[in-house]
Amino acid sequence: MRLVGPNGEQVGIVRIEDALRLAQEADLDLVEVAATARPPVCKLMDFGKYKYETAQKARESRRNQTNTVIKEMKLRPKIDPHDYETKKGHVVRFLRAGDKVKITIMFRGREQSRPELGFRLLQRLAEDVSELGFVESSPRQDGRNMIMVLGPHKKKSEARVDVEAEKAKKLAEHEAEQEAERLERAEQLQQHEAEKAAGATKKPKGPADNLDPE
């Protein structure tokens, strides 16, 4: 067999008995890494540690894997300003989280003869969220609907880091506000106690204090 050392160094072609002896002397395992090679390749390693590190890398890879999610937001061509701002807020949240957004303009009745209304609305929305996303699929008519797809500027993994950082920032700000309020209450209590103590030690005036010394 061809033997590889624990640090990747080439030991050379050795007998299996010698390889087993070397593994025992180094307190390592003899692991076959290329059974189909001629001669087969084996490596000296700590197999338990190798399995653990491999599992760790697999978990990290799955954690960083980008899962493409397409959210959908439906609008009417004559949407009122309040509803538009609400819908836009959802689109912003989706893009910030690293998700694609499918925007659907739904036409009804006579609205179908005015596709330019839907086109202008989609253009407006794309411009309003341009800092977070871009037009991945231009507006196109699909039966009674007009569809546009927005893609996020940041990947899912990057967006997740930003979201976690924003959460940590808000938590730190909230804790700082609570600490400031706690200190303010403590100061107020201390001042109140000091005023109370001062009032208790002040000598009250009696009848004799009002008499003229002459």
Side-chain angles (χ1 to χ4, degrees):
M1 71 172 66
R2 187 179 300 278
L3 185 63
V4 179
N7 298 318
E9 68 275 15
Q10 295 290 332
V11 178
I13 297 176
V14 300
R15 297 184 304 164
I16 187 171
E17 294 84 359
D18 295 333
L20 289 170
R21 177 177 54 80
L22 290 173
Q24 186 175 11
E25 291 175 355
D27 195 22
L28 294 172
D29 302 302
L30 182 64
V31 181
E32 189 175 50
V33 294
T36 58
R38 291 292 178 269
V41 180
C42 294
K43 184 177 181 179
L44 297 173
M45 67 172 68
D46 184 338
F47 190 60
K49 181 180 178 181
Y50 170 76
K51 286 174 62 179
Y52 173 77
E53 291 177 347
T54 301
Q56 286 287 91
K57 289 179 180 178
R59 280 195 292 269
E60 187 67 23
S61 177
R62 287 195 298 270
R63 187 180 300 115
N64 293 331
Q65 185 178 5
T66 301
N67 297 320
T68 302
V69 177
I70 299 182
K71 303 289 187 177
E72 184 173 12
M73 186 58 56
K74 296 181 178 181
L75 296 82
R76 295 293 307 281
K78 295 181 180 179
I79 188 170
D80 67 71
H82 180 268
D83 285 345
Y84 174 80
E85 291 298 325
T86 300
K87 299 279 187 178
K88 186 181 74 173
H90 292 313
V91 173
V92 167
R93 178 164 52 86
F94 295 148
L95 292 173
R96 188 169 285 151
D99 295 325
K100 295 182 180 182
V101 188
K102 175 184 175 183
I103 311 297
T104 302
I105 304 294
M106 302 179 297
F107 296 94
R108 294 179 183 174
R110 296 178 182 178
E111 294 174 347
Q112 297 180 58
S113 63
R114 301 287 305 278
E116 68 277 6
L117 295 178
F119 184 78
R120 285 200 295 265
L121 181 58
L122 291 175
Q123 280 188 318
R124 175 188 172 190
L125 180 59
E127 291 173 0
D128 287 347
V129 300
S130 59
E131 292 185 0
L132 298 171
F134 62 95
V135 178
E136 184 174 288
S137 178
S138 299
R140 61 181 175 83
Q141 196 74 30
D142 183 16
R144 294 184 177 182
N145 301 329
M146 184 175 286
I147 296 171
M148 177 181 71
V149 177
L150 295 173
H153 287 312
K154 293 185 178 181
K155 295 180 180 179
K156 187 83 170 178
S157 56
E158 296 173 346
R160 186 184 300 115
V161 171
D162 290 344
V163 170
E164 292 300 325
E166 185 65 22
K167 287 182 180 179
K169 179 182 177 182
K170 289 182 178 179
L171 179 60
E173 291 175 350
H174 178 66
E175 291 177 346
E177 289 177 358
Q178 287 186 322
E179 180 65 15
E181 291 176 359
R182 186 187 67 79
L183 291 174
E184 184 179 357
R185 289 196 298 268
E187 289 177 0
Q188 291 175 349
L189 179 62
Q190 185 177 8
Q191 183 178 0
H192 177 72
E193 292 295 332
E195 293 175 351
K196 184 178 178 181
T201 56
K202 187 176 180 181
K203 181 181 177 182
K205 287 186 176 182
D209 295 326
N210 297 321
L211 296 178
D212 189 340
E214 298 296 330

